[in-house]
Amino acid sequence: MSDLQSLGFKGQVLTSSSPEYDSARDRYPKNAVLKPTYIVRPISVQDIPLAIKFALSRSPPLEIAIKGGGIGPYPASSSDGGLVIDLSKLNAVKVSDDKQSVSVGGGALWSDVYAQTDKHGVVPIGGNIHFLGVGGVTLAGGYSHLSGKHGLGVDNILQATVVLADGRIVTTNEKEEPDLYWAIRGGVNQFGVVAELFLKTYPLAPAMTVGALVYPGTELQNVLAALHVRNLSLFKHLGNHHPSTKMILMFARAPPDFYPGLLLLPYIENDATPPDEVLAPFRELVKPIFEGLQTVDGYLAVSHGADQALTGAPPRMTTDGALFSDLWDDVIGRAFDSWIQFTEDQEFKGSIMMWEFGHRDKLAERKVEDMAFGAREKHYYMVTISRHSDPSGDAKAAEWASSIGNLVRTAQVEKTGKPLTTPASLAVSPQIIPPEGIWGANLPRLRKLKAKYDPKKVFSKGWCIEPDTKL
C-alpha cells in the first residue's frame, strides 16, 4: 500500500485488512465477487497511470481489472489476487453550456447522469436501468429506449479520455487518436481505462409513459399477435425512421403464486404518439389482468421503472443474450417453454427473459467498419437472466442461459442465413462465446490495434483480444 502511495497516488488503497475491503469487492451478482489483492480508487485521472505502473512493477505483474458499475455477471470487473481500479470516485457529470453534450466520469452510474441532464432538459443515449455503469453500457454498444431515434450509445460518443497501458493519458475523438476512437466504441475494456466520456445529448421529451401491462402466460400467442399489429400500427402513425416507442416483452413469475406471467413494458414519448393509440392492440386483441402505467417527466424516473421487478431478486445471476432480425413467434414460443420448465425448479423461479422491440432502422445507418461495434443489420435483441441463490446452481444457470442464447443465434442463421454478433454486454462468457462472436468482421483490425495500444495485454479481463503484431 505504501509503495503505491509513495508513487504519488492520491486516492484510496484497500487491501483485505481494510474495513471497506468487503464492501468494495462486492458486486451486484454475488457470483462475480472475487478477492483482489488491491482495490484502488483514483480521485483524479492522474492517479490511474500510477496504479497501472504499480501493478506492472510487481513480480509477477498483477492482473488489472477495471470497475465501473460492477454489474456484469461475468467477473471482468474484479480479480482474484490482482489489482482492481475502481472508478467510483470519478463520477462527475457536467452538461455543456450549449446543452449539446455531457461529460461523464468513468465511474458514473446512469442515475448520476440523468439526475443532472434532467435539470437541463436533455438526455444522452444511455442505459435503461439507473444502477448500470455508464462505461460498461456505452462501450459495449449502448442499447437504449432512445436508440430508435438516435442510434446506440457508441454512435453518440463524441470524445473520451483514456489511460493507456503505457501510462499515457490521451484524448481520443475523430481527429485525435482516431484508431483508438474507433477501437473503444465497441471494444469495451480492451484498450485502456476510459476515465471520461463526452456524450451527445438530445432534447428530453416532456412526458413519457412507462410501466407494465401484465398477462397470464397462457396468452403468449395473443400478446405476440398484438406485437405484430403494434409494429404495423407504429409504421402507420409514425411513418419515419425515428419512432419514439419501444416495447419489451418479459417472462417472469411474480409472487405470491409464481405462475408463469408475461409483462409488456412500454416506453412511449407522449408528444410523438398518443399512448392509448400505441397500446390499443395490447388492450383489444388481448386483455391485461393488470395495468401499472405512469407518466413521468424525466429520464431518471424512466430508469427507475424496473425497480419493483428487480426488488428481492436472488443474488446470483447469469446472463446470455442474442440479436435477431425479426419477431419469430415459434422461436419465442420455444424459449418460453424452456423458461417455464427451468423456473419450475424453486431455486430458479426468479429467472426472467426479456425481448426488446424498438425501431431497427437507426441501428443500420452506420456501417460495420465505422467502429469496433459491428452489428449493423436491422435487429432486435433479447437477454436471458438466470437468478438463483445457491452457488451449487451456477453451472446449471449458465448452461440454461447459454442454451437460450444459442437457440436464438441458431434461429437467426436458419431463418436469414446471416449470423449476428453478440455484444459483450449480453454474452454469457468468453468460454462459450469467443471474441469472433463478439466482434465478427472487425476482430482483425481490433487485433492490429491491440498490438498498437496494448501489445502485452495489460488489459485482458473479459473478452481478451490477442494482439496481431505482424506487419
Side-chain angles (χ1 to χ4, degrees):
M1 185 187 308
S2 61
D3 290 345
L4 180 52
Q5 291 169 334
S6 69
L7 294 173
F9 186 86
K10 300 285 196 299
Q12 188 176 25
V13 182
L14 303 174
T15 66
S16 59
S17 62
S18 303
E20 293 181 51
Y21 175 78
D22 282 337
S23 61
R25 73 186 182 96
D26 196 17
R27 296 292 183 269
Y28 177 72
K30 301 309 177 188
N31 46 307
V33 176
L34 302 180
K35 294 182 178 181
T37 300
Y38 299 95
I39 301 171
V40 301
R41 289 172 165 168
I43 60 172
S44 71
V45 176
Q46 288 70 31
D47 271 343
I48 298 173
L50 301 177
I52 295 171
K53 180 179 179 180
F54 173 79
L56 299 182
S57 71
R58 302 296 92 182
S59 183
L62 297 175
E63 178 182 64
I64 294 175
I66 307 162
K67 176 187 175 288
I71 300 302
Y74 186 77
S77 71
S78 194
S79 171
D80 273 327
L83 180 144
V84 173
I85 300 176
D86 180 343
L87 300 175
S88 57
K89 293 184 180 297
L90 300 179
N91 64 346
V93 177
K94 187 178 189 308
V95 176
S96 64
D97 291 341
D98 64 5
K99 298 185 181 183
Q100 298 300 302
S101 66
V102 59
S103 63
V104 182
L109 307 181
W110 284 110
S111 56
D112 299 319
V113 177
Y114 299 142
Q116 294 302 315
T117 54
D118 278 358
K119 296 176 184 177
H120 295 271
V122 296
V123 63
I125 310 308
N128 301 328
I129 299 175
H130 63 95
F131 58 76
L132 298 179
V134 173
V137 170
T138 305
L139 299 173
Y143 289 89
S144 167
H145 291 329
L146 304 173
S147 293
K149 292 202 302 181
H150 304 301
L152 299 169
V154 285
D155 302 335
N156 289 277
I157 297 175
L158 301 174
Q159 181 172 293
T161 302
V162 184
V163 182
L164 301 177
D166 61 9
R168 287 182 293 146
I169 300 173
V170 301
T171 296
T172 180
N173 52 45
E174 287 185 347
K175 295 181 179 179
E176 300 175 83
E177 296 285 353
D179 280 345
L180 183 63
Y181 182 60
W182 185 92
I184 65 168
R185 291 179 297 157
V188 203
N189 62 346
Q190 288 296 298
F191 293 90
V193 182
V194 179
E196 187 176 29
L197 286 166
F198 294 81
L199 307 175
K200 184 173 175 57
T201 56
Y202 298 89
L204 177 67
M208 295 151 281
T209 295
V210 295
L213 287 77
V214 182
Y215 308 86
T218 52
E219 292 285 6
L220 177 61
Q221 291 306 313
N222 289 330
V223 171
L224 293 177
L227 271 170
H228 283 291
V229 171
R230 200 280 296 186
N231 287 337
L232 295 175
S233 175
L234 183 66
F235 281 102
K236 178 180 177 181
H237 66 250
L238 287 179
N240 57 56
H241 295 293
H242 311 283
S244 58
T245 63
K246 179 179 178 180
M247 294 290 175
I248 300 174
L249 173 62
M250 176 189 289
F251 306 158
R253 293 179 183 263
D257 299 316
F258 294 98
Y259 292 130
L262 309 171
L263 284 77
L264 190 78
L265 312 175
Y267 170 80
I268 304 167
E269 294 183 359
N270 298 7
D271 62 334
T273 309
D276 286 343
E277 183 177 342
V278 176
L279 296 172
F282 303 101
R283 291 166 167 161
E284 297 171 6
L285 297 181
V286 57
K287 301 294 183 183
I289 57 176
F290 173 78
E291 286 193 22
L293 300 173
Q294 61 176 325
T295 299
V296 299
D297 60 3
Y299 216 81
L300 182 60
V302 172
S303 73
H304 278 275
D307 284 3
Q308 185 172 356
L310 297 172
T311 299
R316 304 182 77 81
M317 179 174 79
T318 301
T319 64
D320 196 14
L323 311 183
F324 58 102
S325 294
D326 210 343
L327 172 54
W328 298 314
D329 293 12
D330 59 330
V331 176
I332 295 178
R334 288 164 61 193
F336 181 71
D337 291 343
S338 177
W339 170 77
I340 287 181
Q341 183 177 0
F342 182 72
T343 55
E344 285 176 353
D345 185 329
Q346 289 295 304
E347 175 64 16
F348 300 104
K349 67 183 180 183
S351 302
I352 62 175
M353 196 179 300
M354 293 187 291
W355 304 79
E356 309 220 3
F357 299 98
H359 196 279
R360 302 171 297 170
D361 287 5
K362 197 72 177 177
L363 307 180
E365 286 188 4
R366 298 292 190 104
K367 297 177 181 178
V368 172
E369 62 270 21
D370 284 352
M371 62 188 72
F373 184 91
R376 294 303 176 177
E377 297 278 346
K378 295 180 183 180
H379 63 269
Y380 303 117
Y381 72 97
M382 61 79 59
V383 61
T384 298
I385 305 175
S386 175
R387 304 298 299 253
H388 63 291
S389 299
D390 191 336
S392 67
D394 287 354
K396 183 176 180 179
E399 180 181 4
W400 177 71
S402 63
S403 75
I404 300 300
N406 287 334
L407 167 68
V408 179
R409 285 186 285 269
T410 299
Q412 169 66 29
V413 175
E414 291 177 345
K415 291 178 178 292
T416 70
K418 297 179 180 179
L420 296 176
T421 54
T422 301
S425 56
L426 301 180
V428 59
S429 74
Q431 291 74 34
I432 295 175
I433 301 177
E436 290 82 0
I438 305 296
W439 291 293
N442 285 335
L443 183 58
R445 184 178 177 189
L446 282 165
R447 292 187 63 205
K448 290 288 187 184
L449 295 180
K450 184 73 167 179
K452 177 179 179 178
Y453 290 106
D454 185 20
K456 296 182 179 179
K457 296 191 291 186
V458 171
F459 305 110
S460 61
K461 293 291 292 185
W463 280 263
C464 183
I465 296 172
E466 286 294 328
D468 182 358
T469 58
K470 294 180 292 185
L471 294 177

